[in-house]
Amino acid sequence: MSFRNKIFAAFSIVTIVLIMAISVVFYYYSSETLEENSKENLKVMTDKLANQLSQLLKPMEFISWDFIASREFMEEMATITYIKPDTIEDAYDINRAQVNINQIIHRDSLSQNFYGVNVFNKKGDFFTSNNNNYVKPQNSKSIVNQLPWKEQAQQAQGKSILIAPYDDPWENSHQKVFGLARVLRGHNIDMGYIEVQVKNEEFENIFILPQQEEYRIVVLNDDQVLYQKNVENTRLLEYYQEVADRGIDQVTDYKNPHLNNKEIFGKKIIPDWKITILLVQDYSKLMSPVYDMRRIVIAIGLISAFIAFIGMSVFSKYLTRPIRELQQCMESIEIRNLPEQIVLKNKGNEIEALNQSFQDLRTRLNDSIEREIQNHSLVLQANLDMLQAQINPHFLFNVLNMISNKGMEQENYEIGEICEAIANLLRYTTSTGQKTVTLSDEIDYTKNYLMLMEKRFEDRLKCVVDIDEEMMKMEMPKMILQPLVENALNHGYKNTTKTMYVSIYGVIKENIWKITVKDSGEGFEEAVLSEIRSQMVRVRNKIFLEKESLELEIGGMGIVNTYLRLLLCYGECADLKIRNNEQGAEVELSAPWNRF
């Protein structure tokens, strides 16, 4: 694929992804915003409906309590309920009580604010504030006995109950009304009932909403449905009753199993009346503006993408023209014309920079070739040096063997032991076949060195080696321990002639191996100790933080170089601790078990 096509494809992919990303973000943002606004709107509307319904019920409740609180009214009700017209005086008292109750109930405030306030008892006595009401005395008692809410009122024991819209049984026109009723109780005996009515139109006007057809409304009083709107069937109404009992938050959403769609529910409870208002909105109708916007966004995106493709095709052709010219010039370059400058007709800052980079590349290439030639010479010299290093130990082994034989002839076996130890040391240090050895090999090498030092210092040197047997087969770098022992002998006892004690301990603890080299010498001077620790910190930082390469000091096998070799072999988990103790100095090496 040509560079031009790659640019065109890249810009095309970026454009498509960008348009899709913007469209998706806009769609989801619009959806979330519209859903949040709708939920907030449902919350406001349910609060408003609950407030309006409370404002309707409070005066009705107040009037019923006002009658009960009236001592005169309750006494007159007791008179017509308890006294029988057996005598003329009793009949007179009953008649007087009926007149007084009519006077109490026929108030302008009642007729103006309510459709009717009715007071009646089981005997058939009936009083109403509705002047248009007319019921024959012989019908009152039968109407009372047929009232469907009578038993509910009795069970409420004087508390008010709500009556779902019903046809007023006291009026011939059967006006539909919404009511509140309660039992009139005196001395634990029911004296009758009081019923406060408003026209059903006034009750239903509370639930008139803008765009009424988009909402379903259910108003419940315990198990009684006071009002429902746009609920198509009984199963759906029962489902909404079940949702109302779930204890949902004020606004939430559920999938309706009967309509097989998602709905948003607004719920408000009026605790004083045990009323639950449920306002339901279809989610698909709610999101219809977003669906329309989605189609518009898709159309705009496709048009924008088409225009962008045309523009990118022209732009990519113009943009890659200098690159094609540079390519042609680069293909014509040979070794004889490398120093010549490339002159471009169509150029820009980036193309000029690319041309300059190509010129710099040629310069660096020539330098690299020269360095490669030099490096090749150095490799040849290194091979010769290595061959010489292999020849020199061979000569030394022959000399040592000759000295050992002379000692044997003179029956001086100590000379043979010394020569054998030196030969072992040379053989160990000059062998290049293995980069790692076992700890057992390293201990043997160190013991050979200590044996030579014992010959040198005679009785002044005492050595102890105590290593866990499990560690002896552990792999580790060569010449790790001997430099530490040599350092202890060379620096720990340079100003004293006392007996030298050197101890080597090795243990495995918590999957970490530790080898400690101790001496009984003078210990480290504080300045020297501080300098060594600083060098160790610098070495560790260069390897693991600055990621720089380090070279071992030629001929250097001291503490810092030993620490560097540990880090290179075991990584960050390796550690070397150096400190003074009461007897002298000690160096502790540690690394994870089986980590090499």
Side-chain angles (χ1 to χ4, degrees):
M1 182 182 290
S2 65
F3 181 65
R4 176 191 172 187
N5 292 336
K6 290 180 180 179
I7 292 178
F8 177 77
F11 275 104
S12 300
I13 293 173
V14 170
T15 302
I16 293 174
V17 171
L18 185 61
I19 292 175
M20 291 179 62
I22 293 174
S23 302
V24 170
V25 170
F26 176 78
Y27 174 73
Y28 279 103
Y29 174 78
S30 302
S31 301
E32 291 292 332
T33 302
L34 182 60
E35 185 172 342
E36 289 177 3
N37 292 339
S38 298
K39 288 184 177 180
E40 183 63 26
N41 187 44
L42 276 180
K43 178 180 179 299
V44 171
M45 286 194 294
T46 50
D47 290 345
K48 180 180 178 182
L49 294 179
N51 183 61
Q52 290 177 345
L53 185 55
S54 296
Q55 294 302 318
L56 177 68
L57 293 175
K58 286 179 180 179
M60 299 171 69
E61 175 78 358
F62 174 78
I63 288 299
S64 66
W65 270 114
D66 184 59
F67 276 92
I68 294 174
S70 173
R71 181 177 181 181
E72 179 185 2
F73 173 78
M74 294 300 289
E75 287 177 351
E76 302 298 357
M77 283 297 298
T79 299
I80 65 174
T81 301
Y82 298 145
I83 298 177
K84 297 181 180 181
D86 294 336
T87 63
I88 296 176
E89 289 80 4
D90 292 339
Y92 174 78
D93 290 339
I94 292 173
N95 184 65
R96 177 186 51 78
Q98 291 175 343
V99 171
N100 289 338
I101 291 174
N102 272 319
Q103 289 178 351
I104 293 172
I105 205 169
H106 283 91
R107 287 183 281 176
D108 291 339
S109 60
L110 298 182
S111 60
Q112 291 175 0
N113 294 311
F114 305 99
Y115 175 73
V117 178
N118 304 324
V119 178
F120 51 90
N121 58 22
K122 295 180 180 179
K123 294 171 58 178
D125 297 314
F126 177 79
F127 309 92
T128 180
S129 65
N130 188 348
N131 294 325
N132 297 323
N133 180 52
Y134 177 77
V135 178
K136 294 181 181 181
Q138 60 271 24
N139 291 337
S140 300
K141 188 173 182 179
S142 63
I143 292 175
V144 172
N145 293 330
Q146 295 175 5
L147 290 174
W149 50 265
K150 184 177 63 173
E151 292 183 4
Q152 182 184 357
Q154 290 174 344
Q155 292 174 359
Q157 297 181 352
K159 296 181 180 179
S160 60
I161 64 169
L162 299 179
I163 309 172
Y166 60 101
D167 293 335
D168 185 9
W170 308 104
E171 186 174 337
N172 295 329
S173 63
H174 297 291
Q175 169 68 43
K176 202 172 188 65
V177 294
F178 169 76
L180 177 147
R182 69 190 331 144
V183 173
L184 299 173
R185 295 180 64 84
H187 303 292
N188 297 325
I189 299 176
D190 295 345
M191 295 187 298
Y193 305 89
I194 181 169
E195 177 186 19
V196 184
Q197 299 174 329
V198 296
K199 286 186 177 182
N200 187 54
E201 291 82 355
E202 184 178 352
F203 172 69
E204 290 186 348
N205 286 341
I206 294 175
F207 305 104
I208 295 178
L209 300 173
Q211 298 178 330
Q212 181 85 13
E213 65 281 354
E214 294 186 3
Y215 299 94
R216 293 185 176 91
I217 306 174
V218 179
V219 182
L220 304 172
N221 174 229
D222 288 334
D223 295 332
Q224 180 183 203
V225 179
L226 298 180
Y227 179 81
Q228 60 91 9
K229 183 71 174 180
N230 297 330
V231 181
E232 291 83 358
N233 53 62
T234 305
R235 292 178 59 191
L236 191 58
L237 181 60
E238 291 175 352
Y239 167 72
Y240 290 143
Q241 288 178 291
E242 185 267 330
V243 171
D245 293 335
R246 290 181 184 176
I248 59 175
D249 297 334
Q250 194 166 34
V251 178
T252 189
D253 53 76
Y254 288 108
K255 183 176 181 181
N256 191 321
H258 301 286
L259 301 178
N260 198 28
N261 62 358
K262 185 179 178 182
E263 293 178 322
I264 298 180
F265 293 82
K267 177 182 175 181
K268 183 68 176 179
I269 298 175
I270 307 176
D272 293 340
W273 307 97
K274 296 182 180 179
I275 292 176
T276 301
I277 299 176
L278 207 61
L279 190 59
V280 186
Q281 188 175 16
D282 189 284
Y283 187 80
S284 60
K285 293 181 179 179
L286 166 69
M287 300 300 292
S288 59
V290 176
Y291 299 150
D292 296 337
M293 181 62 69
R294 180 175 61 183
R295 288 190 286 269
I296 295 174
V297 169
I298 292 175
I300 293 175
L302 292 176
I303 295 173
S304 301
F306 178 74
I307 296 174
F309 290 157
I310 296 176
M312 285 186 291
S313 177
V314 176
F315 177 72
S316 62
K317 181 178 180 180
Y318 172 78
L319 181 65
T320 56
R321 184 181 301 169
I323 298 177
R324 293 195 298 272
E325 293 181 2
L326 179 60
Q327 179 185 4
Q328 294 174 358
C329 295
M330 293 173 65
E331 290 175 350
S332 63
I333 290 177
E334 299 177 358
I335 295 179
R336 56 183 176 82
N337 61 1
L338 277 176
E340 296 180 3
Q341 295 290 330
I342 298 176
V343 181
L344 301 176
K345 298 179 181 179
N346 299 287
K347 60 183 179 179
N349 292 334
E350 291 80 4
I351 304 302
E352 290 178 354
L354 182 61
N355 185 23
Q356 184 60 45
S357 298
F358 180 65
Q359 299 290 345
D360 296 339
L361 176 62
R362 290 184 297 171
T363 301
R364 292 194 298 271
L365 179 60
N366 289 330
D367 295 340
S368 298
I369 293 174
E370 292 178 359
R371 286 196 298 271
E372 183 65 23
I373 294 173
Q374 294 176 358
N375 291 336
H376 184 66
S377 300
L378 292 176
V379 170
L380 292 177
Q381 184 63 41
N383 289 333
L384 292 175
D385 293 341
M386 184 175 66
L387 181 61
Q388 184 66 36
Q390 292 176 349
I391 295 174
N392 290 338
H394 183 70
F395 170 75
L396 292 176
F397 288 146
N398 291 334
V399 172
L400 289 172
N401 189 38
M402 180 188 67
I403 295 174
S404 177
N405 291 332
K406 292 293 183 181
M408 293 295 182
E409 292 176 359
Q410 301 294 326
E411 296 184 355
N412 191 340
Y413 299 106
E414 187 175 4
I415 293 176
E417 293 176 359
I418 294 174
C419 290
E420 183 180 358
I422 294 174
N424 289 335
L425 292 178
L426 288 174
R427 188 176 295 106
Y428 188 82
T429 55
T430 58
S431 62
T432 59
Q434 289 181 306
K435 295 182 179 179
T436 63
V437 294
T438 63
L439 178 59
S440 176
D441 295 334
E442 187 70 9
I443 292 295
D444 291 341
Y445 172 72
T446 305
K447 286 182 178 179
N448 283 325
Y449 172 77
L450 287 172
M451 190 270 286
L452 293 176
M453 293 299 102
E454 287 175 348
K455 298 297 183 183
R456 173 187 172 186
F457 294 108
E458 296 182 348
D459 295 333
R460 285 186 58 213
L461 177 60
K462 304 294 182 180
C463 303
V464 175
V465 178
D466 185 6
I467 303 293
D468 284 355
E469 187 65 27
E470 186 180 0
M471 296 176 59
M472 299 305 286
K473 295 182 179 181
M474 178 181 68
E475 292 285 333
M476 64 187 311
K478 290 177 64 174
M479 299 183 68
I480 288 291
L481 298 181
Q482 184 272 335
L484 301 180
V485 175
E486 181 180 358
N487 185 79
L489 296 178
N490 291 341
H491 300 285
Y493 301 92
K494 61 183 178 180
N495 297 320
T496 181
T497 59
K498 66 178 184 179
T499 301
M500 297 177 286
Y501 292 94
V502 177
S503 304
I504 303 174
Y505 301 102
V507 295
I508 300 173
K509 187 176 182 181
E510 296 180 355
N511 208 32
I512 300 291
W513 63 261
K514 293 182 180 180
I515 298 177
T516 305
V517 178
K518 295 183 179 181
D519 65 65
S520 60
E522 301 172 355
F524 295 96
E525 296 180 1
E526 289 300 325
V528 174
L529 192 61
S530 177
E531 177 62 23
I532 293 175
R533 287 172 176 170
S534 298
Q535 291 180 14
M536 291 168 60
V537 171
R538 285 196 296 270
V539 166
R540 189 178 189 91
N541 291 339
K542 282 184 176 294
I543 293 177
F544 300 116
L545 297 182
E546 301 174 14
K547 306 297 182 182
E548 294 184 5
S549 60
L550 292 172
E551 294 182 357
L552 292 172
E553 180 182 348
I554 298 176
M557 285 294 175
I559 293 176
V560 177
N561 277 358
T562 300
Y563 180 55
L564 172 59
R565 296 174 66 213
L566 282 176
L567 294 178
L568 294 176
C569 293
Y570 293 97
E572 295 184 66
C573 299
D575 195 13
L576 186 151
K577 296 178 181 178
I578 176 173
R579 54 183 172 264
N580 291 325
N581 55 34
E582 295 178 356
Q583 289 78 25
E586 66 178 69
V587 179
E588 179 185 282
L589 310 177
S590 62
W593 178 249
N594 292 331
R595 180 65 183 270
F596 186 78

